[in-house]
């Protein structure tokens, strides 16, 4: 059984469309269909109901879905661990962070920490939100930096982790610009077809933040129509720019694009929401360096650069 079949299965269960799933997996539709059929043959059962559109999981497919996710997650965790063990130069600190924070907030944050704690080597990785929590719980990461919103559960086992709030950010509703350099959408004058936006994939934490935003809207608010989905802010920004759509972005991720005129803030803040930035560690982390950094962060969160990302 080829593990690619599992990834194919999970993508198709998410997309419900063979053509779109094949594009995401970067193979032809015919090759993709053969791999799905090969998996079903190997299991001895049909996983998808092809009589409906979009295709949906059969009862057997529903059962297999969790198994496929677990197998791929365990393989990835093993790969990370083996690579770490076999690395010629094991870093002093293993850090995981959401992609948007890793690309914006984290580099300067680490620089400030080193000024107070001395030089150290660090590896920085980014995975799915819940996968990063699992890596920290399994001691495969030393520190975890994430966005967090108290109203949106994160399923942390608080007795297992220590945490420090580092600062605040804002998730802004943004719009791409049209060919004339003007905002492509005005929330006060929405098109009859609705405000098209790029949404966050349903497996990510920000999708829950989006759900909270939509739950607070009323019948007087404009209709938002999801045009595409992704779990990565950087890909979403590019897609929104090319397709002229809207999207929600934390200020740390939106700042450069707004300043460069590739995106504009929308809605005068009516559809923005506050976010918090937190750092987590395993409660009984044995590393003296981790303990030193943690003690330093308690008195100085090293976040003076957050002010540089303010957009409103």
């Amino acid at each position: 059984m080829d593990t690619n079949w599992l990834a194919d299965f999970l993508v198709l269960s998410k997309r419900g469309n063979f053509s779109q799933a094949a594009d995401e997996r970067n193979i032809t539709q015919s090759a993709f269909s053969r791999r799905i059929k090969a998996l079903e043959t190997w299991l001895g059962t049909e996983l998808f109901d092809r009589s409906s559109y979009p295709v949906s999981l059969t009862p057997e497919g529903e059962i297999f879905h969790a198994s496929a996710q677990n197998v791929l997650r365990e393989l990835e965790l093993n790969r990370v661990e083996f690579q770490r063990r076999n690395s010629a130069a094991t870093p002093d600190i293993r850090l995981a962070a959401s992609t948007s924070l890793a690309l914006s907030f984290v580099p300067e944050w680490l620089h400030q920490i080193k000024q107070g704690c001395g030089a150290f080597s660090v590896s920085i990785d980014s995975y799915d939100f819940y996968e990063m929590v699992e890596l920290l719980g399994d001691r495969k990461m030393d520190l975890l930096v994430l966005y967090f919103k108290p109203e949106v559960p994160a399923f942390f086992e608080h007795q297992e982790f220590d945490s420090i709030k580092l600062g605040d950010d804002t998730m802004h509703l943004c719009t791409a610009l049209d060919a004339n350099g003007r905002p492509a959408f005005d929330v006060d004058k929405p098109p009859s077809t609705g405000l098209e936006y790029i949404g966050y994939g349903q497996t990510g934490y920000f999708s829950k933040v989006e759900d909270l935003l939509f739950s607070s809207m009323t019948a007087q608010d404009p209709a938002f129509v999801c045009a595409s989905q992704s779990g990565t802010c950087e890909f979403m920004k590019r897609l929104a720019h090319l397709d002229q759509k809207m999207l929600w972005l934390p200020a740390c991720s939106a700042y450069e694009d707004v300043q460069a005129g590739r995106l504009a803030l929308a809605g005068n803040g009516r559809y923005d929401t506050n976010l918090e930035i937190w750092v987590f560690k395993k409660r009984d982390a044995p590393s003296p360096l981790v303990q030193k950094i943690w003690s330093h962060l308690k008195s100085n969160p090293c976040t003076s650069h957050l002010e540089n990302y303010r957009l409103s």
Side-chain angles (χ1 to χ4, degrees):
M1 197 274 291
D2 188 341
T3 56
N4 280 319
W5 298 351
L6 300 180
D8 295 341
F9 165 78
L10 292 175
V11 171
L12 181 55
S13 66
K14 177 179 68 174
R15 293 292 185 188
N17 180 288
F18 276 85
S19 177
Q20 293 178 8
D23 287 344
E24 184 169 331
R25 295 290 291 151
N26 198 30
I27 61 174
T28 65
Q29 183 174 340
S30 58
F32 182 84
S33 298
R34 285 196 299 270
R35 293 198 331 199
I36 292 294
K37 190 60 181 177
L39 175 61
E40 292 177 321
T41 300
W42 188 81
L43 288 170
T45 187
E46 290 190 350
L47 300 172
F48 293 95
D49 180 2
R50 295 165 172 81
S51 65
S52 62
Y53 184 85
V55 298
S56 58
L57 290 171
T58 63
E60 292 79 8
E62 294 283 358
I63 295 171
F64 184 68
H65 191 273
S67 298
Q69 286 183 315
N70 291 335
V71 168
L72 288 181
R73 182 180 296 112
E74 284 299 318
L75 287 173
E76 179 62 20
L77 290 175
N78 286 333
R79 185 185 69 84
V80 171
E81 179 64 7
F82 292 153
Q83 288 182 343
R84 185 185 68 81
R85 290 181 183 179
N86 295 327
S87 174
T90 303
D92 297 322
I93 294 292
R94 298 162 299 166
L95 171 71
S98 61
T99 304
S100 53
L101 287 171
L103 291 174
S104 56
F105 168 82
V106 167
E108 176 62 27
W109 180 68
L110 287 171
H111 177 71
Q112 293 183 44
I113 292 174
K114 290 177 181 179
Q115 289 180 324
C117 298
F120 56 85
S121 61
V122 59
S123 68
I124 305 174
D125 292 290
S126 185
Y127 302 93
D128 172 82
F129 180 95
Y130 299 104
E131 187 175 356
M132 289 191 285
V133 175
E134 187 172 345
L135 285 167
L136 185 65
D138 291 341
R139 304 179 188 277
K140 294 172 182 175
M141 290 291 167
D142 298 304
L143 296 174
L144 179 56
V145 182
L146 292 173
Y147 280 115
F148 181 67
K149 189 168 181 62
E151 300 91 330
V152 180
F155 307 109
F156 283 108
E157 297 177 27
H158 292 287
Q159 73 277 10
E160 185 180 349
F161 301 117
D162 290 324
S163 59
I164 298 173
K165 179 183 175 182
L166 299 175
D168 296 286
D169 199 354
T170 301
M171 178 170 270
H172 294 283
L173 176 62
C174 302
T175 177
L177 306 182
D178 62 21
N180 297 315
R182 294 189 294 265
F185 292 99
D186 181 349
V187 297
D188 294 319
K189 300 176 181 178
S192 58
T193 53
L195 299 167
E196 293 187 304
Y197 72 98
I198 310 296
Y200 289 91
Q202 290 304 306
T203 60
Y205 183 70
F206 274 172
S207 70
K208 310 298 188 297
V209 178
E210 263 186 358
D211 290 343
L212 180 67
L213 282 163
F214 286 127
S215 70
S216 65
M217 294 183 188
T218 68
Q220 283 68 49
D221 291 304
F224 287 86
V225 180
C226 185
S228 303
Q229 288 185 337
S230 175
T232 305
C233 289
E234 297 308 306
F235 176 77
M236 293 170 65
K237 288 191 295 185
R238 179 66 173 162
L239 193 59
H241 174 65
L242 290 173
D243 293 349
Q244 295 187 2
K245 307 298 184 189
M246 307 189 80
L247 77 168
W248 275 271
L249 288 172
C252 281
S253 181
Y255 181 82
E256 287 190 3
D257 290 84
V258 172
Q259 295 299 109
R262 291 186 291 268
L263 294 173
L265 300 182
N268 294 317
R270 296 201 308 275
Y271 301 103
D272 297 349
T273 190
N274 294 327
L275 296 173
E276 297 175 354
I277 302 173
W278 286 72
V279 60
F280 299 85
K281 76 170 181 65
K282 188 83 170 179
R283 177 148 296 170
D284 55 352
S287 167
L289 177 57
V290 172
Q291 297 297 345
K292 181 180 180 180
I293 292 172
W294 200 257
S295 178
H296 180 70
L297 290 173
K298 283 183 175 179
S299 58
N300 178 9
C302 298
T303 55
S304 59
H305 61 301
L306 265 180
E307 288 299 319
N308 298 333
Y309 295 104
R310 302 299 179 202
L311 286 169
S312 60

